[in-house]
Amino acid sequence: GHARLGMKTELGNTERHVSVAAIEERLLAELADMEVHGKRLMELRAQLMPMYVALPKSDNGGLDHKVVRYALHRFFVHQRG
């Protein structure tokens, strides 16, 4: 089957037909990318957690943006050399 995608262009409205298989393929690729990025985010979170715990926090438990900027700069400089 095919799906209809309405696309507006400079010349006006047009229609483009895309196969369901192509849509499924693209969706699966996006989901795989999300899994890879999700794993990377979990790794970063685990690496950043000790630093977060050690940083000074305000009375309401928040972090000052200058402290966060400095800490992240140090973290990524150390990571990338």
Side-chain angles (χ1 to χ4, degrees):
H2 286 81
R4 286 183 169 198
L5 298 176
M7 297 179 58
K8 198 168 199 172
T9 65
E10 294 175 22
L11 302 175
N13 287 332
T14 62
E15 287 188 4
R16 183 173 151 201
H17 296 274
V18 178
S19 72
V20 173
I23 293 172
E24 289 174 349
E25 181 181 328
R26 182 65 185 160
L27 178 59
L28 289 173
E30 289 293 327
L31 291 173
D33 283 347
M34 287 174 52
E35 184 177 345
V36 168
H37 294 302
K39 287 179 183 176
R40 177 69 179 131
L41 286 174
M42 293 302 289
E43 290 170 3
L44 282 172
R45 182 176 184 191
Q47 292 170 349
L48 290 167
M49 188 55 69
M51 180 175 51
Y52 170 78
V53 170
L55 290 174
K57 296 174 187 65
S58 66
D59 292 338
N60 65 359
L63 296 170
D64 182 77
H65 76 279
K66 292 176 185 176
V67 171
V68 172
R69 181 178 175 200
Y70 175 77
L72 289 175
H73 173 76
R74 293 282 310 223
F75 175 79
F76 287 110
V77 165
H78 180 72
Q79 286 267 313
R80 310 212 186 254

